[in-house]
Amino acid sequence: AQKVTQAQTEISVVEKEDVTLDCVYETRDTTYYLFWYKQPPSGELVFLIRRNSFDEQNEISGRYSWNFQKSTSSFNFTITASQVVDSAVYFCALRKNYGQNFVFGPGTRLSVLP
Amino acid sequence: KAGVTQTPRYLIKTRGQQVTLSCSPISGHRSVSWYQQTPGQGLQFLFEYFSETQRNKGNFPGRFSGRQFSNSRSEMNVSTLELGDSALYLCASSVAEISYNEQFFGPGTRLTVL
């Protein structure tokens, strides 16, 4: 069975601090896809990044960076120099190959205080 | 390009009634997925439709059903509503099957069952 765990329920940081959101997943499949989504107070989920299980290259995009490590089944997300607009709930998600369900983690609520 | 639209945005029903929610995907997108979001269960996958065919279904009772039309618009129906069906129902569209493709989410329909 697939499972996604986001151990941090809520995180509060002060603006300009760096923050890392943890995601640990469980799957027996060799081919799978990992995603991060952001849900601001408006409610719409916003896609941030996807990775397939064969691509462990970590990425930096502006203030965002991702650390995918298959050895520890982790797909962590870091925001550098956080801003108030980063306040949202962040979801990590896992999907097996074609035709399978999406499994979301419980989400981490990030509050960035001015 | 217009985003994913969902109607209605808010809905209040009573137990035992049925409800139909509508989703219009981004133009050119052929895949539509539905999710239920509740404080207790988090984000849960309901169905995925591609080219009018249900490709995958989450672990929900038969009271939850859906369909997709030839123009890719989708509807989901919940019959014999229960209090526990109160949730935010999110629709997402993507160009093709969602294994790897980015999904674009709508604002959701907030259903309250009294």
Side-chain angles (χ1 to χ4, degrees):
Chain A
Q2 298 177 97
K3 185 178 178 181
V4 176
T5 302
Q6 294 179 255
Q8 305 147 310
T9 306
E10 292 191 41
I11 301 177
S12 287
V13 298
V14 177
E15 203 169 19
K16 296 184 183 178
E17 285 185 5
D18 298 348
V19 58
T20 295
L21 308 182
D22 298 332
C23 172
V24 174
Y25 61 93
E26 294 178 26
T27 180
R28 294 181 179 178
D29 296 278
T30 56
T31 302
Y32 52 89
Y33 304 91
L34 295 164
F35 302 78
W36 273 99
Y37 286 87
K38 170 183 177 180
Q39 187 175 38
S42 61
E44 284 187 46
L45 278 162
V46 177
F47 167 84
L48 294 176
I49 192 172
R50 64 174 173 260
R51 272 292 178 269
N52 69 49
S53 52
F54 299 107
D55 179 8
E56 287 192 73
Q57 181 178 353
N58 295 315
E59 180 176 330
I60 298 175
S61 176
R63 296 185 299 108
Y64 299 160
S65 62
W66 291 268
N67 187 345
F68 175 31
Q69 293 191 354
K70 285 181 70 173
S71 60
T72 55
S73 297
S74 65
F75 185 44
N76 298 335
F77 169 48
T78 298
I79 302 175
T80 302
S82 60
Q83 300 176 0
V84 173
V85 293
D86 295 327
S87 297
V89 181
Y90 290 81
F91 292 95
C92 180
L94 166 69
R95 178 162 176 160
K96 293 167 63 175
N97 208 356
Y98 169 74
Q100 302 299 320
N101 291 347
F102 243 109
V103 176
F104 281 85
T108 297
R109 182 176 297 278
L110 173 65
S111 298
V112 181
L113 309 174
Chain B
K1 190 183 265 191
V4 177
T5 57
Q6 292 185 246
T7 56
R9 291 293 310 279
Y10 302 90
L11 205 49
I12 299 175
K13 292 285 189 178
T14 56
R15 279 182 300 174
Q17 288 187 308
Q18 76 165 25
V19 66
T20 299
L21 311 182
S22 181
C23 172
S24 292
I26 292 173
S27 177
H29 285 194
R30 297 169 62 192
S31 173
V32 173
S33 299
W34 289 89
Y35 299 84
Q36 182 197 65
Q37 187 175 25
T38 60
Q41 298 299 317
L43 264 166
Q44 292 185 287
F45 174 84
L46 278 159
F47 341 91
E48 175 193 359
Y49 286 90
F50 180 76
S51 293
E52 302 179 65
T53 302
Q54 187 180 91
R55 292 300 182 95
N56 198 22
K57 188 178 192 298
N59 189 23
F60 279 82
R63 300 185 298 107
F64 291 81
S65 62
R67 59 178 175 169
Q68 187 180 32
F69 302 96
S70 58
N71 61 359
S72 295
R73 191 177 69 86
S74 177
E75 290 181 346
M76 67 162 282
N77 183 277
V78 188
S79 62
T80 319
L81 283 166
E82 300 178 0
L83 294 179
D85 297 333
S86 294
L88 179 67
Y89 289 89
L90 293 164
C91 168
S93 77
S94 62
V95 172
E97 292 94 334
I98 66 172
S99 288
Y100 187 74
N101 286 284
E102 176 181 352
Q103 291 186 88
F104 295 84
F105 282 80
T109 293
R110 185 163 295 282
L111 171 65
T112 301
V113 182
L114 303 175

